[in-house]
Amino acid sequence: MPRALKVLRGTSKKKLPVEPEGRGDLWDPPSYFDAAQKKEWSRVIENAPYGILTGTDRDAVAAYVVAVVEYAKAVRAVRKDGQLMTAKNGTPFQNPSLGIANRQALLISRLCASLGFNPTSRASLGTSESSFNGSAPGSLADFTAKRPKPGSLAEYEAERPDFDN
């Protein structure tokens, strides 16, 4: 178990082994992201469990964001064209977008677990209020002060690459 998780859980050991820590901030999305991916990046960074992700996690977060956006695109394509399509000779076949959606869903599930993005992985953090008291350097208040202010809920819902768009 990573040292940070042991500290958050309130380990009884006085001396924990030193382990390498992630480095850097995780604010800006990769330059190769399109508009939908940049919006999803902002949502993910803003809502990620506090104090866990660093710049070292950039590639894993980027993979998660791409998977979420591609999943949404694939689900829209399946909704539009159906799960089964018909070849020119009349033979039915599975919509290729269904396979894409399924693969992205598996990737999302795995990345959620490793990044603390699902209830089970968040519960394993076992945080206490003292972990987030807002007074230490790098506190939640510092974190939110650095982030750009989000728009309204209506703006978010209108721009998010969800299934209803």
Side-chain angles (χ1 to χ4, degrees):
M1 178 185 309
R3 184 178 195 276
L5 295 181
K6 290 178 182 177
V7 170
L8 287 172
R9 286 184 174 178
T11 183
S12 61
K13 294 182 180 178
K14 300 221 184 243
K15 194 170 190 178
L16 292 172
V18 176
E19 65 183 41
E21 292 183 12
R23 295 184 159 259
D25 289 331
L26 193 61
W27 302 122
D28 297 324
S31 60
Y32 58 85
F33 271 14
D34 63 22
Q37 292 165 336
K38 287 178 183 176
K39 288 176 185 174
E40 183 65 12
W41 175 274
S42 294
R43 184 194 70 79
V44 167
I45 296 304
E46 184 176 316
N47 293 294
Y50 175 71
I52 300 298
L53 301 178
T54 67
T56 305
D57 305 308
R58 181 182 173 96
D59 293 334
V61 175
Y64 173 81
V65 167
V66 169
V68 167
V69 172
E70 293 305 311
Y71 174 78
K73 288 178 188 175
V75 168
R76 283 189 212 106
V78 170
R79 185 180 299 134
K80 178 183 172 228
D81 301 326
Q83 291 186 4
L84 288 177
M85 301 175 85
T86 306
K88 289 181 182 177
N89 67 4
T91 305
F93 65 95
Q94 179 179 303
N95 184 336
S97 294
L98 185 58
I100 292 169
N102 290 337
R103 282 189 301 278
Q104 297 306 313
L106 286 173
L107 181 58
I108 290 167
S109 177
R110 288 180 184 149
L111 288 166
C112 279
S114 66
L115 295 170
F117 292 172
N118 65 30
T120 303
S121 62
R122 283 192 306 275
S124 72
L125 297 178
T127 61
S128 64
E129 280 191 41
S130 63
S131 301
F132 303 104
N133 64 11
S135 61
S139 68
L140 183 57
D142 293 342
F143 174 78
T144 54
K146 292 179 185 177
R147 296 289 307 137
K149 299 298 180 222
S152 69
L153 179 60
E155 288 173 3
Y156 168 76
E157 289 175 342
E159 296 174 355
R160 175 132 193 258
D162 277 338
F163 312 113
D164 296 333
N165 293 337

